[in-house]
Amino acid sequence: MIQINVDFADEQFREILRQEVEKAMADVIRKNELPPMLTKKELMNLLRIKDTKASELLNRPDFPVFREAGVLIPTHLLFQWIEKNTRWVEENSNYFNRAI
């Protein structure tokens, strides 16, 4: 019979899992590399939305848009905005509870 120190194995497993997740995320980012700034068309493709919805988003006061050089969306701020607004829906509505 093989005996394993569960605490050590658990910690070692977590470290291996963390490393594998980091590698997988790096691969996804590398394969789907996004530019630092997105155009409206790139935003539409990324979010799979049409022109009307993109215009609605771009005109929201809380949506991250850089207008100094045309209409550009800072990619990292877009993902922060998505995360913030998704969290807001989870915390302030029962939208996700209805699906269960």
Side-chain angles (χ1 to χ4, degrees):
M1 180 189 327
I2 300 174
Q3 291 184 339
I4 299 173
N5 180 339
V6 176
D7 291 334
F8 175 75
D10 188 47
E11 207 47 51
Q12 189 177 24
F13 175 74
R14 288 176 191 217
E15 178 60 24
I16 291 169
L17 185 59
R18 185 187 63 74
Q19 291 172 2
E20 290 303 316
V21 168
E22 283 180 3
K23 281 196 280 185
M25 290 303 295
D27 288 345
V28 168
I29 290 168
R30 215 175 303 112
K31 289 177 186 172
N32 298 309
E33 220 170 280
L34 294 171
M37 301 286 260
L38 299 171
T39 63
K40 182 179 177 182
K41 189 169 193 150
E42 290 168 330
L43 173 72
M44 291 167 54
N45 289 333
L46 178 66
L47 299 181
R48 296 184 180 135
I49 58 176
K50 300 209 187 258
D51 187 63
T52 303
K53 181 54 73 176
S55 293
E56 287 175 16
L57 285 173
L58 292 169
N59 287 314
R60 285 180 56 137
D62 64 330
F63 194 78
V65 182
F66 179 71
R67 297 185 190 275
E68 302 304 317
V71 176
L72 297 172
I73 302 95
T75 305
H76 73 286
L77 294 179
L78 170 65
F79 286 109
Q80 288 176 5
W81 182 88
I82 290 170
E83 185 176 330
K84 177 184 173 203
N85 284 277
T86 301
R87 239 188 271 133
W88 186 93
V89 171
E90 290 173 354
E91 294 169 359
N92 295 288
S93 76
N94 63 355
Y95 178 80
F96 291 105
N97 295 334
R98 286 186 277 155
I100 297 174

